[in-house]
Amino acid sequence: MTTVVLGSGSPSRLGLLRRAGLDPVVRTSGVDETPLLGETPVRLTRRLAHAKASTVAAGVADALVIGCDSVLEFEGVAYGKPHRPDVALDLWRRISGRTAVFHTGHCVVDTRTGRTVAEVCSTDVRFARVTEEDVAAYVATGEPLQMAGAFAIAGRGGWFVEHVAGHPSNLEGLSLPVLWRLLHRLDVRAVRLWR
């Protein structure tokens, strides 16, 4: 059976892949996620997904390596993991009651053949109008600090998402339909990877 490697330490991505029937090995890439000057959110996610998958693929053989990266685009600016409470609070004050776009870059490297495929998935997210008390309570949980766009749809942040236009699994950092297409382009059937 082909080994599937997730080139990400994201618990959301790992959980999603496991619920979808895969049992990936996790290898983090250590790639610097700093945006390049003038880089659009879509190009940023594509570049980082490719860098993560390529970096991890260089150290494994006979595997399918999946690399992903996500950002929330609001008013043309890409927001990754806020890491600090004040940054998360500031972002939530801006996106409350508004719509933003969640982009995830996907890249799969087949180390058996050397082939690489990539695609970006974008999902519109409309956030509820939340009170300062709600935002403070959410940020105090620590959940949004390590999540792109300062929210987790499958966690407490799900309370504040009113509408999603696009594939919902993308909001967990990996679109299953995109991964399906990428694997298909590599002549790999996802069902054959199920455990």
Side-chain angles (χ1 to χ4, degrees), residues 7 27-34 36 39 43-58 65-69 105-109 116-118:
R27 299 269 190 271
T28 56
S29 67
V31 168
D32 180 5
E33 297 184 11
T34 306
L36 300 175
E39 192 170 34
R43 286 183 190 223
L44 171 65
T45 59
R46 181 182 291 273
R47 176 180 61 83
L48 291 177
H50 188 273
K52 290 176 180 184
S54 299
T55 300
V56 171
V65 180
I66 303 166
C68 295
D69 193 74
H106 302 70
C107 182
V108 181
V109 178
T116 299
V117 291

Side-chain angles (χ1 to χ4, degrees), residues 12 92 102 125 127 138 141-161 168 171-173:
S12 297
W92 267 100
F102 196 85
V125 187
F127 295 98
Y138 182 45
T141 68
E143 178 183 272
L145 303 183
Q146 298 303 316
M147 307 303 288
F151 79 102
I153 186 77
R156 291 179 177 98
W159 289 94
F160 309 130
V161 174
L171 299 182
E172 293 185 62

Side-chain angles (χ1 to χ4, degrees), residues 160-183:
F160 309 130
V161 174
E162 286 190 338
H163 181 77
V164 173
H167 198 273
S169 73
N170 189 48
L171 299 182
E172 293 185 62
L174 191 151
S175 167
L176 290 174
V178 168
L179 182 57
W180 177 274
R181 283 195 299 274
L182 294 177
L183 291 171

Side-chain angles (χ1 to χ4, degrees), residues 62-129:
D62 300 321
L64 293 166
V65 180
I66 303 166
C68 295
D69 193 74
S70 301
V71 298
L72 182 74
E73 179 181 357
F74 181 67
E75 296 181 335
V77 178
Y79 295 92
K81 300 171 188 168
H83 299 292
R84 296 189 348 238
D86 60 316
V87 176
L89 285 166
D90 181 59
L91 178 56
W92 267 100
R93 288 178 185 124
R94 284 187 269 144
I95 63 174
S96 174
R98 308 280 300 278
T99 298
V101 183
F102 196 85
H103 302 287
T104 300
H106 302 70
C107 182
V108 181
V109 178
D110 186 339
T111 64
R112 300 165 305 174
T113 65
R115 293 174 61 201
T116 299
V117 291
E119 187 176 325
V120 175
C121 181
S122 301
T123 303
D124 292 340
V125 187
R126 187 174 68 231
F127 295 98
R129 187 167 303 284

